[in-house]
Amino acid sequence: MKTIGIIGAGQMGSGIAHVCALSGYDVFMHDIDETAIENGMATISGNMARQVGSERITRDERHDALNRLRATPKVEDLVKCDMVIEAATENEKVKQAIYKTVCPHLNADAILATNTSSISITRLAAVTDRPERFLGVHFMNPVPVMQLVELVRGIATDDATFQTARAFCDKLGKEVSVSEDFPAFIVNRVLIPMINEAIYVLYEGVGTVAGIDKAMKLGANHPMGPLALADFIGLDTCLAIMQTLHDGLADTKYRPCPLLVKYVEAGWLGRKAGKGFYDYAGEEPVPTR
Ligand code: CAA
């Protein structure tokens, strides 16, 4: 494979484009929103500069990677891609609509992958024209830093597709964990209910935002507290994953905390909105309760 397409220039799409370009792939990052494209390109350029600053990569590597990266609002440009990774918002209807639009423009042999963090790969594959060449390739945030990619086969995914995706992850320098196609796979099946429980702890008044995060950082050696991590992931994404777990496994232990629902309804979606469990307007994040 030589050319990778990424659909979505948000925090996951831009992170995936970043690591693909640095690993030598030609990359087309597609988004219908030109502002999202501008922001995504600025994020990639800034994060690569940060990596040059800490001597993780050289100036030349950054320069070459940025030259291999093209942002495009035109879906037709994806015809040149050997593999296209959809990294749109965590909403099944949105993803289905994207596949309907994109599939007619793809090379007949191209692999279509989704970065979904929770939705059934088999169900998503069924609305495409290539279920045998469709699979889940789930990156973690921040993509340039996190080592893991989860690979998930749908019921129809063929072996050649799976092995190609595994070789792609190797080339990116990522470790692979293989998950069966069940709601939220492995990482989010464990991580997001933990975050949801931390929100219940806040909701019930057991601890404050700062107290809960301090407890889990210093008491369990987590690099971020669960509420700071929820803001980092995006509260809308956390809620969508809890809903997928609740619907898909039909078990009340996965019920989303009402406080999480309220924050999402308020538009307090975390860092990307400037406000979630913390307010990010000033120099330092300030707890919102
Ligand atoms: N791009 C490139 N480099 C980045 C970066 C980015 N977006 N973000 C951080 N870095 C680099 C920094 O430059 C720094 O590099 P050096 O060590 O070379 O100096 C390094 O990462 C550490 O960053 P910081 O010093 O700024 O901050 P930190 O030490 O607090 O680490 C963190 C930041 C890596 C995000 C860390 O807090 C962490 O690991 N947090 C947990 C992240 C996590 O759990 N992610 C998974 C979320 S779940 C998910 O993604 C799945 C899903 O579907 C929801």
Side-chain angles (χ1 to χ4, degrees):
M1 292 201 300
K2 231 179 133 292
T3 308
I4 308 292
I6 317 285
I7 301 172
Q11 66 183 2
M12 295 308 291
S14 62
I16 299 166
H18 175 136
V19 293
C20 289
L22 266 184
S23 300
Y25 290 107
D26 292 326
V27 180
F28 286 92
M29 184 170 74
H30 163 70
D31 203 303
I32 45 170
D33 179 349
E34 303 241 12
T35 313
I37 287 184
E38 273 170 36
N39 292 340
M41 291 299 274
T43 301
I44 295 170
S45 174
N47 281 333
M48 285 188 187
R50 196 165 156 184
Q51 289 178 302
V52 172
S54 59
E55 296 181 1
R56 301 245 170 221
I57 60 171
T58 64
R59 266 175 210 287
D60 285 350
E61 283 168 337
R62 173 173 182 260
H63 178 262
D64 292 348
L66 289 175
N67 274 343
R68 280 192 287 268
L69 181 60
R70 271 178 206 77
T72 173
K74 289 193 285 180
V75 66
E76 300 83 42
D77 285 337
L78 297 177
V79 71
K80 297 159 192 148
C81 299
D82 303 305
M83 172 160 155
V84 171
I85 304 172
E86 168 273 310
T89 186
E90 191 65 356
N91 177 311
E92 192 160 346
K93 290 215 159 51
V94 171
K95 289 182 188 296
Q96 287 175 344
I98 288 173
Y99 303 151
K100 293 244 158 70
T101 310
V102 163
C103 281
H105 296 284
L106 300 185
N107 183 319
D109 296 331
I111 293 176
L112 181 57
T114 174
N115 182 56
T116 179
S117 42
S118 62
I119 301 168
S120 162
I121 303 302
T122 299
R123 219 164 49 225
L124 289 175
V127 302
T128 74
D129 59 354
R130 60 194 74 209
E132 66 288 351
R133 267 171 286 109
F134 186 93
L135 84 169
V137 178
H138 179 216
F139 289 82
M140 308 296 138
N141 187 23
V143 181
V145 178
M146 303 300 282
Q147 281 181 281
L148 191 77
V149 175
E150 285 183 301
L151 286 185
V152 191
R153 289 183 184 91
I155 199 166
T157 311
D158 67 25
D159 271 352
T161 298
F162 186 79
Q163 295 312 337
T164 305
R166 192 186 264 281
F168 164 71
C169 293
D170 288 345
K171 188 164 172 193
L172 298 184
K174 299 292 185 193
E175 291 288 330
V176 164
S177 169
V178 179
S179 170
E180 291 301 318
D181 187 17
F182 283 95
F185 318 124
I186 297 172
V187 171
N188 285 335
R189 171 88 177 257
V190 178
L191 182 68
I192 305 298
M194 188 274 290
I195 287 175
N196 193 52
E197 196 61 28
I199 302 169
Y200 267 110
V201 168
L202 178 68
Y203 177 63
E204 291 169 10
V206 181
T208 61
V209 168
I212 293 164
D213 275 353
K214 182 178 183 182
M216 293 307 289
K217 274 174 74 175
L218 303 185
N221 260 8
H222 289 191
M224 279 177 168
L227 301 173
L229 183 57
D231 277 358
F232 183 64
I233 293 169
L235 302 191
D236 50 343
T237 302
C238 292
L239 177 59
I241 296 171
M242 285 311 295
Q243 280 163 340
T244 301
L245 281 167
H246 195 229
D247 295 348
L249 298 167
D251 189 330
T252 54
K253 77 177 175 181
Y254 297 112
R255 66 208 182 284
C257 178
L259 190 60
L260 172 60
V261 176
K262 189 180 275 193
Y263 270 58
V264 172
E265 284 173 350
W268 294 10
L269 304 181
R271 276 203 203 177
K272 63 187 169 187
K275 199 184 224 184
F277 292 109
Y278 293 84
D279 188 320
Y280 297 90
E283 290 263 298
E284 290 292 320
V286 178
T288 47
R289 44 196 315 128

